[in-house]
Amino acid sequence: MTQAPEAPRSPRALFLAALAEGRLAYQFDHGAGCAVFPPQAVGPGGQPGELEWRTSRGEGTVHACTEVQRRDGAFNIALVDLDEGFRMMATVVDAAPGALRIGLRVAARIEPWNDAHRVVFGALA
C-alpha cells in the first residue's frame, strides 16, 4: 500500500512552522530581486517557483510607531524595516510606552503566544 503524497503547505503555515523552530523566515523573489513579506504563493515577479525561503537575522530599524492604550495597560507597536529588505509590524516589548522613536535599532525575538509563536522586538544595546 502506498502513502498519499503530503499536501503542500501554505506560505503562512510554513512561516508559522519556522517561528516554532525559532526562525524568522521571509521569502526572496529571484525574478524581482527583492525580499517578500508577508509570505506569498507568488511574489511580485509573478512567476511561480521564483520564491526562496530565507532566515532573517532579525535586526532592523523602527520606521513608524504608536502607543496602544488598553484598560490593562499600554504597549508599543512598530513598523520595523528589517535589514534584509522587508517591513513587518510587531510589538516592541522593552521600551516604555511612549518612549519608542523612529530610527531606533531593534532586534527580533520569538516568543510563545496563544498556542503558537509570535515575533516581538527589543531595542539593540
Side-chain angles (χ1 to χ4, degrees):
M1 179 175 214
T2 60
Q3 292 184 348
E6 186 176 311
R9 295 170 62 190
S10 72
R12 182 177 189 279
L14 293 170
F15 171 73
L16 293 174
L19 286 182
E21 296 170 357
R23 297 182 301 111
L24 173 53
Y26 69 100
Q27 296 167 299
F28 186 84
D29 185 323
H30 287 281
C34 64
V36 176
F37 191 87
Q40 307 291 316
V42 177
Q47 298 298 316
E50 292 276 326
L51 293 174
E52 170 192 355
W53 284 98
R54 296 183 177 179
T55 299
S56 172
R57 283 190 17 236
E59 295 182 0
T61 304
V62 173
H63 171 80
C65 53
T66 191
E67 177 183 334
V68 177
Q69 294 284 338
R70 295 184 6 180
R71 289 182 186 175
D72 60 347
F75 60 96
N76 294 305
I77 299 279
L79 286 175
V80 176
D81 290 333
L82 280 293
D83 293 348
E84 291 85 4
F86 66 98
R87 179 178 291 162
M88 69 181 296
M89 181 184 296
T91 302
V92 179
V93 294
D94 66 352
L100 197 57
R101 68 183 193 290
I102 293 170
L104 180 70
R105 292 288 294 165
V106 292
R109 62 181 181 255
I110 298 164
E111 64 180 27
W113 186 68
N114 289 346
D115 297 327
H117 293 83
R118 72 175 184 164
V119 177
V120 296
F121 287 92
L124 279 172

